[in-house]
Amino acid sequence: MGRHADSLAPPRGRAPAASRRNFWSYFRTTNMSDCKKASILIVGSGIVGRSWAMLFASAGYKVVLYDTVQQQVSSAIESIRQQLTELERTGGLRGTFKPEEQMMLITACNDLAQAVEGASHIQECVPENLELKRKVFQDLDKLMNDSVILSSSTSCLLPSKLFSGLKHVKQCIVAHPVSPTYFVPLVELVPHPETHAAVIEQTYALMKDIGQSPVKLNKEIDGFALNRIQYAIIGESWRLVNDGVLSPEDVDLVMSAGLGMRYAFMGPFETIHLNAEGLKNYCERYAGGMKRVLSSFGPVPEFSGEAMEKINQIPPQGKYPLSNYPVKPSQNLRSPAILLNSYEQWPNLLNISLHARKLA
Ligand code: NAD
């Protein structure tokens, strides 16, 4: 991949000459079509592993599923088959291949060494447990060559905790998907301090190629990006209820009938750019107000006690009583059919948003 080879920085630290040569030559010669001939190995065939398998297969990649529990792999294959059929029926199937063509790309393997052989990208999807993940990476580190990329799906474990000490640390990266992964395109790419620049670029290109929207964090940070922004919203929402300013229902309405409508289509910077005559003009006008309001924010809430009781009694519980749910809300969110229903509303929302932009 010449374009990336030009931007390669010298590797930090001392790597054995032979491994450095293999590593570099891989990034000089590989391109996405070569990648497609190679396999993606998914380690852990649970909810996220299955979604990744579907995403890669939808873009024509060969996928090998591995799990320590054999039954998990068999049920993953069956569940993927059912999901693809249902997605085709409801018009939500990704890519240009038919379900049966996608299924032909997905195979199972119960021997880790064999599964690693020939893989160009390994996507780890085992449970969120640092010790377990480190053990998995140590095993993979012994088996992997100097060209494969080792990527973790972790939701919040830092790369420095996950990958430090591995022989192939330069080839390691976090690629954090957002649930439900098949429908939500964002992937947060978080490098270890020693991750090679080419590994970040290669993973970025791979994510783009399967239709995802990767973002690159230049360095690791607790909570990555999505959760830091999400927690800022939850924190202030909580304080507004706790301080008796708003009812919990009205906080939800501020998002669902206000901010959320914009933020479904554009980020905070694009929003402020359109809310004035450009971003600079917005800051000239509103920086004082923003700083005054931001400096009045209270301390980090405890997320318990009286406020918890108050928020726990609000209509969302009445609107969506958990006991009446046919499946758990978390599973509901992952249900393609339910999401597709709500996605059907998106064109309407998009029109509203475009109209709003014209008015802005
Ligand atoms: P899960 O419990 O559904 O699946 C984990 C799978 O890993 C199971 O099939 C289990 O048998 C297998 N496994 C356990 N030990 C293993 C080992 N040593 N080698 C191979 N396989 C092993 O978990 P999940 O919800 O799919 O989450 C996987 C990862 O993805 C976690 O790090 C999680 O934080 C992250 N993640 C989850 C979500 C989500 O919504 N579920 C979203 C984004 C990221």
Side-chain angles (χ1 to χ4, degrees):
M1 182 177 283
R3 163 168 81 88
H4 297 316
D6 293 344
S7 63
L8 284 176
R12 277 178 264 163
R14 289 176 65 81
S19 86
R20 194 166 65 233
R21 190 169 54 247
N22 292 343
F23 180 74
W24 280 62
S25 62
Y26 171 77
F27 289 108
R28 290 217 169 92
T29 57
T30 305
N31 59 37
M32 288 316 301
S33 60
D34 288 332
C35 256
K36 282 196 183 187
K37 290 174 204 149
S39 290
I40 307 288
L41 168 60
I42 309 281
V43 178
S45 312
I47 288 157
V48 168
R50 294 167 194 203
S51 298
W52 276 121
M54 289 164 66
L55 283 176
F56 284 118
S58 75
Y61 287 84
K62 287 186 202 157
V63 177
V64 175
L65 280 174
Y66 171 84
D67 202 293
T68 41
V69 182
Q70 190 50 41
Q71 172 58 28
Q72 276 291 88
V73 183
S74 334
S75 74
I77 302 254
E78 194 39 46
S79 150
I80 291 171
R81 189 188 309 283
Q82 284 173 11
Q83 288 188 61
L84 293 180
T85 307
E86 181 63 6
L87 284 162
E88 188 187 40
R89 192 186 68 75
T90 51
L93 189 69
R94 288 175 67 148
T96 52
F97 301 105
K98 298 196 79 56
E100 54 274 24
E101 291 171 325
Q102 297 193 25
M103 284 310 297
M104 281 169 65
L105 294 168
I106 304 174
T107 52
C109 184
N110 60 10
D111 179 305
L112 188 60
Q114 204 183 321
V116 170
E117 223 176 273
S120 63
H121 177 102
I122 302 173
Q123 189 68 39
E124 167 276 315
C125 309
V126 306
E128 190 79 344
N129 174 309
L130 180 60
E131 291 316 307
L132 172 66
K133 283 194 193 277
R134 277 194 63 83
K135 170 78 177 61
V136 168
F137 294 138
Q138 280 157 11
D139 291 346
L140 289 167
D141 197 33
K142 290 182 200 134
L143 298 170
M144 62 196 269
N145 61 29
D146 297 327
S147 59
V148 64
I149 288 176
L150 179 53
S151 166
S152 173
S153 301
T154 181
S155 302
C156 59
L157 299 170
L158 294 177
S160 58
K161 296 255 187 285
L162 290 171
F163 306 129
S164 287
L166 296 182
K167 189 173 108 192
H168 296 96
V169 62
K170 292 183 198 322
Q171 293 158 243
C172 297
I173 190 165
V174 165
H176 170 227
V178 181
S179 194
T181 305
Y182 195 79
F183 298 97
V184 180
L186 183 71
V187 180
E188 296 181 291
L189 301 183
V190 192
H192 181 279
E194 289 181 67
T195 302
H196 201 291
V199 169
I200 303 171
E201 292 311 320
Q202 182 82 9
T203 312
Y204 185 88
L206 179 65
M207 293 300 137
K208 293 285 276 187
D209 196 54
I210 63 170
Q212 296 300 87
S213 300
V215 292
K216 292 183 245 182
L217 277 74
N218 294 322
K219 54 184 176 182
E220 65 176 28
I221 186 166
D222 197 14
F224 306 157
L226 183 142
N227 275 331
R228 289 185 77 86
I229 294 173
Q230 172 170 234
Y231 294 161
I233 293 171
I234 294 174
E236 184 52 14
S237 301
W238 196 278
R239 281 188 292 263
L240 286 170
V241 174
N242 199 32
D243 295 348
V245 178
L246 277 181
S247 68
E249 301 91 308
D250 282 356
V251 167
D252 276 353
L253 214 51
V254 167
M255 289 305 291
S256 63
L259 268 185
M261 295 186 79
R262 289 177 187 164
Y263 285 174
F265 303 101
M266 58 183 107
F269 295 133
E270 196 179 351
T271 299
I272 65 177
H273 171 73
L274 293 175
N275 270 359
E277 286 152 39
L279 184 136
K280 278 188 177 171
N281 178 259
Y282 185 95
C283 291
E284 278 159 21
R285 288 198 212 171
Y286 303 118
M290 281 195 288
K291 288 196 290 190
R292 190 189 66 246
V293 172
L294 281 168
S295 60
S296 72
F297 279 19
V300 175
E302 288 300 324
F303 300 112
S304 60
E306 250 180 64
M308 161 81 92
E309 295 309 320
K310 195 168 167 186
I311 294 170
N312 197 34
Q313 285 163 17
I314 60 164
Q317 274 65 33
K319 212 156 100 188
Y320 311 117
L322 299 189
S323 52
N324 288 1
Y325 262 54
V327 286
K328 281 196 242 155
S330 53
Q331 290 168 335
N332 241 342
L333 193 63
R334 291 177 188 130
S335 155
I338 286 171
L339 258 165
L340 279 173
N341 284 341
S342 60
Y343 270 44
E344 279 165 14
Q345 307 301 322
W346 283 34
N348 294 334
L349 286 173
L350 187 61
N351 282 339
I352 294 170
S353 167
L354 290 175
H355 183 61
R357 282 190 199 202
K358 277 187 207 140
L359 294 179

PDB file of all heavy atoms in Angstrom, residues 141-165:
ATOM      1  N   ASP A 141      -0.090 -13.509  20.617  1.00  0.00           N
ATOM      2  CA  ASP A 141       1.234 -12.930  20.379  1.00  0.00           C
ATOM      3  C   ASP A 141       2.243 -14.009  19.977  1.00  0.00           C
ATOM      4  O   ASP A 141       3.114 -13.791  19.134  1.00  0.00           O
ATOM      5  CB  ASP A 141       1.683 -12.235  21.686  1.00  0.00           C
ATOM      6  CG  ASP A 141       2.816 -11.259  21.467  1.00  0.00           C
ATOM      7  OD1 ASP A 141       2.859 -10.631  20.388  1.00  0.00           O
ATOM      8  OD2 ASP A 141       3.659 -11.101  22.371  1.00  0.00           O
ATOM      9  N   LYS A 142       2.087 -15.191  20.578  1.00  0.00           N
ATOM     10  CA  LYS A 142       3.017 -16.293  20.279  1.00  0.00           C
ATOM     11  C   LYS A 142       2.739 -16.884  18.895  1.00  0.00           C
ATOM     12  O   LYS A 142       3.622 -17.449  18.270  1.00  0.00           O
ATOM     13  CB  LYS A 142       2.862 -17.404  21.331  1.00  0.00           C
ATOM     14  CG  LYS A 142       3.387 -17.013  22.695  1.00  0.00           C
ATOM     15  CD  LYS A 142       3.242 -18.164  23.677  1.00  0.00           C
ATOM     16  CE  LYS A 142       3.293 -17.634  25.112  1.00  0.00           C
ATOM     17  NZ  LYS A 142       2.269 -18.167  25.981  1.00  0.00           N
ATOM     18  N   LEU A 143       1.489 -16.770  18.458  1.00  0.00           N
ATOM     19  CA  LEU A 143       1.098 -17.442  17.204  1.00  0.00           C
ATOM     20  C   LEU A 143       1.161 -16.531  15.983  1.00  0.00           C
ATOM     21  O   LEU A 143       1.298 -16.995  14.861  1.00  0.00           O
ATOM     22  CB  LEU A 143      -0.348 -17.967  17.335  1.00  0.00           C
ATOM     23  CG  LEU A 143      -0.610 -19.008  18.417  1.00  0.00           C
ATOM     24  CD1 LEU A 143      -2.107 -19.237  18.582  1.00  0.00           C
ATOM     25  CD2 LEU A 143       0.077 -20.328  18.047  1.00  0.00           C
ATOM     26  N   MET A 144       1.033 -15.224  16.213  1.00  0.00           N
ATOM     27  CA  MET A 144       0.876 -14.317  15.064  1.00  0.00           C
ATOM     28  C   MET A 144       2.210 -13.997  14.387  1.00  0.00           C
ATOM     29  O   MET A 144       3.258 -14.059  15.015  1.00  0.00           O
ATOM     30  CB  MET A 144       0.143 -13.033  15.479  1.00  0.00           C
ATOM     31  CG  MET A 144       0.855 -12.199  16.506  1.00  0.00           C
ATOM     32  SD  MET A 144      -0.262 -10.986  17.269  1.00  0.00           S
ATOM     33  CE  MET A 144      -0.015  -9.594  16.179  1.00  0.00           C
ATOM     34  N   ASN A 145       2.130 -13.644  13.108  1.00  0.00           N
ATOM     35  CA  ASN A 145       3.332 -13.257  12.379  1.00  0.00           C
ATOM     36  C   ASN A 145       3.544 -11.738  12.498  1.00  0.00           C
ATOM     37  O   ASN A 145       2.822 -11.063  13.233  1.00  0.00           O
ATOM     38  CB  ASN A 145       3.246 -13.715  10.919  1.00  0.00           C
ATOM     39  CG  ASN A 145       2.058 -13.066  10.218  1.00  0.00           C
ATOM     40  OD1 ASN A 145       1.645 -11.964  10.560  1.00  0.00           O
ATOM     41  ND2 ASN A 145       1.507 -13.757   9.233  1.00  0.00           N
ATOM     42  N   ASP A 146       4.486 -11.231  11.734  1.00  0.00           N
ATOM     43  CA  ASP A 146       4.827  -9.816  11.883  1.00  0.00           C
ATOM     44  C   ASP A 146       4.001  -8.893  10.995  1.00  0.00           C
ATOM     45  O   ASP A 146       4.301  -7.710  10.866  1.00  0.00           O
ATOM     46  CB  ASP A 146       6.321  -9.604  11.577  1.00  0.00           C
ATOM     47  CG  ASP A 146       7.181 -10.351  12.571  1.00  0.00           C
ATOM     48  OD1 ASP A 146       6.764 -10.475  13.732  1.00  0.00           O
ATOM     49  OD2 ASP A 146       8.268 -10.824  12.175  1.00  0.00           O
ATOM     50  N   SER A 147       2.976  -9.439  10.358  1.00  0.00           N
ATOM     51  CA  SER A 147       2.193  -8.573   9.483  1.00  0.00           C
ATOM     52  C   SER A 147       0.729  -8.441   9.905  1.00  0.00           C
ATOM     53  O   SER A 147       0.065  -7.492   9.521  1.00  0.00           O
ATOM     54  CB  SER A 147       2.271  -9.070   8.038  1.00  0.00           C
ATOM     55  OG  SER A 147       1.783 -10.383   7.961  1.00  0.00           O
ATOM     56  N   VAL A 148       0.234  -9.398  10.681  1.00  0.00           N
ATOM     57  CA  VAL A 148      -1.180  -9.357  11.050  1.00  0.00           C
ATOM     58  C   VAL A 148      -1.448  -8.224  12.055  1.00  0.00           C
ATOM     59  O   VAL A 148      -0.585  -7.872  12.848  1.00  0.00           O
ATOM     60  CB  VAL A 148      -1.621 -10.733  11.610  1.00  0.00           C
ATOM     61  CG1 VAL A 148      -0.890 -11.073  12.886  1.00  0.00           C
ATOM     62  CG2 VAL A 148      -3.109 -10.791  11.855  1.00  0.00           C
ATOM     63  N   ILE A 149      -2.644  -7.661  11.970  1.00  0.00           N
ATOM     64  CA  ILE A 149      -3.035  -6.627  12.947  1.00  0.00           C
ATOM     65  C   ILE A 149      -3.901  -7.274  14.018  1.00  0.00           C
ATOM     66  O   ILE A 149      -4.802  -8.058  13.710  1.00  0.00           O
ATOM     67  CB  ILE A 149      -3.787  -5.471  12.241  1.00  0.00           C
ATOM     68  CG1 ILE A 149      -2.790  -4.668  11.410  1.00  0.00           C
ATOM     69  CG2 ILE A 149      -4.497  -4.576  13.260  1.00  0.00           C
ATOM     70  CD1 ILE A 149      -3.399  -3.564  10.577  1.00  0.00           C
ATOM     71  N   LEU A 150      -3.602  -6.955  15.275  1.00  0.00           N
ATOM     72  CA  LEU A 150      -4.371  -7.491  16.393  1.00  0.00           C
ATOM     73  C   LEU A 150      -5.202  -6.357  16.980  1.00  0.00           C
ATOM     74  O   LEU A 150      -4.663  -5.380  17.502  1.00  0.00           O
ATOM     75  CB  LEU A 150      -3.412  -8.073  17.451  1.00  0.00           C
ATOM     76  CG  LEU A 150      -4.044  -8.647  18.709  1.00  0.00           C
ATOM     77  CD1 LEU A 150      -5.112  -9.681  18.379  1.00  0.00           C
ATOM     78  CD2 LEU A 150      -2.972  -9.287  19.585  1.00  0.00           C
ATOM     79  N   SER A 151      -6.506  -6.510  16.870  1.00  0.00           N
ATOM     80  CA  SER A 151      -7.403  -5.418  17.236  1.00  0.00           C
ATOM     81  C   SER A 151      -8.370  -5.884  18.317  1.00  0.00           C
ATOM     82  O   SER A 151      -8.912  -6.982  18.233  1.00  0.00           O
ATOM     83  CB  SER A 151      -8.151  -5.005  15.955  1.00  0.00           C
ATOM     84  OG  SER A 151      -9.234  -4.192  16.246  1.00  0.00           O
ATOM     85  N   SER A 152      -8.577  -5.054  19.330  1.00  0.00           N
ATOM     86  CA  SER A 152      -9.486  -5.420  20.423  1.00  0.00           C
ATOM     87  C   SER A 152     -10.791  -4.648  20.305  1.00  0.00           C
ATOM     88  O   SER A 152     -10.797  -3.465  19.977  1.00  0.00           O
ATOM     89  CB  SER A 152      -8.833  -5.102  21.768  1.00  0.00           C
ATOM     90  OG  SER A 152      -9.773  -5.294  22.811  1.00  0.00           O
ATOM     91  N   SER A 153     -11.900  -5.319  20.651  1.00  0.00           N
ATOM     92  CA  SER A 153     -13.217  -4.654  20.637  1.00  0.00           C
ATOM     93  C   SER A 153     -13.539  -4.006  21.980  1.00  0.00           C
ATOM     94  O   SER A 153     -14.665  -3.543  22.170  1.00  0.00           O
ATOM     95  CB  SER A 153     -14.320  -5.671  20.334  1.00  0.00           C
ATOM     96  OG  SER A 153     -14.109  -6.299  19.110  1.00  0.00           O
ATOM     97  N   THR A 154     -12.594  -3.980  22.894  1.00  0.00           N
ATOM     98  CA  THR A 154     -12.895  -3.502  24.256  1.00  0.00           C
ATOM     99  C   THR A 154     -13.694  -2.199  24.278  1.00  0.00           C
ATOM    100  O   THR A 154     -13.452  -1.296  23.477  1.00  0.00           O
ATOM    101  CB  THR A 154     -11.601  -3.313  25.072  1.00  0.00           C
ATOM    102  OG1 THR A 154     -11.964  -2.878  26.395  1.00  0.00           O
ATOM    103  CG2 THR A 154     -10.675  -2.264  24.470  1.00  0.00           C
ATOM    104  N   SER A 155     -14.614  -2.112  25.230  1.00  0.00           N
ATOM    105  CA  SER A 155     -15.427  -0.907  25.346  1.00  0.00           C
ATOM    106  C   SER A 155     -14.699   0.181  26.124  1.00  0.00           C
ATOM    107  O   SER A 155     -14.973   1.361  25.933  1.00  0.00           O
ATOM    108  CB  SER A 155     -16.723  -1.218  26.084  1.00  0.00           C
ATOM    109  OG  SER A 155     -17.425  -2.225  25.423  1.00  0.00           O
ATOM    110  N   CYS A 156     -13.812  -0.219  27.045  1.00  0.00           N
ATOM    111  CA  CYS A 156     -13.198   0.829  27.861  1.00  0.00           C
ATOM    112  C   CYS A 156     -11.797   0.509  28.403  1.00  0.00           C
ATOM    113  O   CYS A 156     -11.209   1.353  29.070  1.00  0.00           O
ATOM    114  CB  CYS A 156     -14.126   1.207  29.017  1.00  0.00           C
ATOM    115  SG  CYS A 156     -14.516  -0.174  30.074  1.00  0.00           S
ATOM    116  N   LEU A 157     -11.253  -0.675  28.114  1.00  0.00           N
ATOM    117  CA  LEU A 157      -9.911  -0.969  28.643  1.00  0.00           C
ATOM    118  C   LEU A 157      -8.864  -0.275  27.784  1.00  0.00           C
ATOM    119  O   LEU A 157      -8.932  -0.305  26.553  1.00  0.00           O
ATOM    120  CB  LEU A 157      -9.680  -2.480  28.662  1.00  0.00           C
ATOM    121  CG  LEU A 157     -10.668  -3.273  29.544  1.00  0.00           C
ATOM    122  CD1 LEU A 157     -10.520  -4.775  29.323  1.00  0.00           C
ATOM    123  CD2 LEU A 157     -10.441  -2.935  31.023  1.00  0.00           C
ATOM    124  N   LEU A 158      -7.897   0.354  28.452  1.00  0.00           N
ATOM    125  CA  LEU A 158      -6.912   1.149  27.715  1.00  0.00           C
ATOM    126  C   LEU A 158      -5.876   0.259  27.016  1.00  0.00           C
ATOM    127  O   LEU A 158      -5.428  -0.741  27.588  1.00  0.00           O
ATOM    128  CB  LEU A 158      -6.204   2.115  28.666  1.00  0.00           C
ATOM    129  CG  LEU A 158      -7.093   3.213  29.259  1.00  0.00           C
ATOM    130  CD1 LEU A 158      -6.308   4.062  30.251  1.00  0.00           C
ATOM    131  CD2 LEU A 158      -7.675   4.097  28.161  1.00  0.00           C
ATOM    132  N   PRO A 159      -5.469   0.646  25.806  1.00  0.00           N
ATOM    133  CA  PRO A 159      -4.458  -0.148  25.080  1.00  0.00           C
ATOM    134  C   PRO A 159      -3.185  -0.370  25.898  1.00  0.00           C
ATOM    135  O   PRO A 159      -2.582  -1.438  25.822  1.00  0.00           O
ATOM    136  CB  PRO A 159      -4.183   0.708  23.838  1.00  0.00           C
ATOM    137  CG  PRO A 159      -5.433   1.477  23.625  1.00  0.00           C
ATOM    138  CD  PRO A 159      -6.005   1.736  24.989  1.00  0.00           C
ATOM    139  N   SER A 160      -2.778   0.617  26.694  1.00  0.00           N
ATOM    140  CA  SER A 160      -1.533   0.421  27.464  1.00  0.00           C
ATOM    141  C   SER A 160      -1.699  -0.697  28.485  1.00  0.00           C
ATOM    142  O   SER A 160      -0.734  -1.358  28.855  1.00  0.00           O
ATOM    143  CB  SER A 160      -1.114   1.718  28.158  1.00  0.00           C
ATOM    144  OG  SER A 160      -2.149   2.161  28.997  1.00  0.00           O
ATOM    145  N   LYS A 161      -2.925  -0.915  28.957  1.00  0.00           N
ATOM    146  CA  LYS A 161      -3.173  -2.022  29.907  1.00  0.00           C
ATOM    147  C   LYS A 161      -3.277  -3.351  29.141  1.00  0.00           C
ATOM    148  O   LYS A 161      -2.848  -4.385  29.630  1.00  0.00           O
ATOM    149  CB  LYS A 161      -4.494  -1.801  30.648  1.00  0.00           C
ATOM    150  CG  LYS A 161      -4.529  -0.571  31.536  1.00  0.00           C
ATOM    151  CD  LYS A 161      -4.430  -0.993  32.991  1.00  0.00           C
ATOM    152  CE  LYS A 161      -4.634   0.160  33.956  1.00  0.00           C
ATOM    153  NZ  LYS A 161      -3.501   1.055  34.040  1.00  0.00           N
ATOM    154  N   LEU A 162      -3.846  -3.290  27.945  1.00  0.00           N
ATOM    155  CA  LEU A 162      -4.113  -4.520  27.195  1.00  0.00           C
ATOM    156  C   LEU A 162      -2.868  -5.096  26.524  1.00  0.00           C
ATOM    157  O   LEU A 162      -2.638  -6.295  26.537  1.00  0.00           O
ATOM    158  CB  LEU A 162      -5.158  -4.258  26.101  1.00  0.00           C
ATOM    159  CG  LEU A 162      -6.592  -3.985  26.533  1.00  0.00           C
ATOM    160  CD1 LEU A 162      -7.418  -3.526  25.327  1.00  0.00           C
ATOM    161  CD2 LEU A 162      -7.228  -5.234  27.127  1.00  0.00           C
ATOM    162  N   PHE A 163      -2.065  -4.205  25.904  1.00  0.00           N
ATOM    163  CA  PHE A 163      -1.049  -4.691  24.963  1.00  0.00           C
ATOM    164  C   PHE A 163       0.401  -4.560  25.447  1.00  0.00           C
ATOM    165  O   PHE A 163       1.295  -5.114  24.815  1.00  0.00           O
ATOM    166  CB  PHE A 163      -1.155  -3.931  23.628  1.00  0.00           C
ATOM    167  CG  PHE A 163      -2.528  -3.957  22.994  1.00  0.00           C
ATOM    168  CD1 PHE A 163      -3.146  -2.779  22.583  1.00  0.00           C
ATOM    169  CD2 PHE A 163      -3.194  -5.151  22.803  1.00  0.00           C
ATOM    170  CE1 PHE A 163      -4.393  -2.792  21.983  1.00  0.00           C
ATOM    171  CE2 PHE A 163      -4.450  -5.178  22.204  1.00  0.00           C
ATOM    172  CZ  PHE A 163      -5.057  -3.998  21.794  1.00  0.00           C
ATOM    173  N   SER A 164       0.628  -3.783  26.531  1.00  0.00           N
ATOM    174  CA  SER A 164       2.019  -3.556  26.948  1.00  0.00           C
ATOM    175  C   SER A 164       2.718  -4.884  27.208  1.00  0.00           C
ATOM    176  O   SER A 164       2.135  -5.798  27.801  1.00  0.00           O
ATOM    177  CB  SER A 164       2.065  -2.682  28.210  1.00  0.00           C
ATOM    178  OG  SER A 164       1.726  -1.367  27.846  1.00  0.00           O
ATOM    179  N   GLY A 165       3.947  -4.967  26.761  1.00  0.00           N
ATOM    180  CA  GLY A 165       4.748  -6.172  26.997  1.00  0.00           C
ATOM    181  C   GLY A 165       4.631  -7.211  25.891  1.00  0.00           C
ATOM    182  O   GLY A 165       5.394  -8.175  25.859  1.00  0.00           O
TER     183      GLY A 165
END
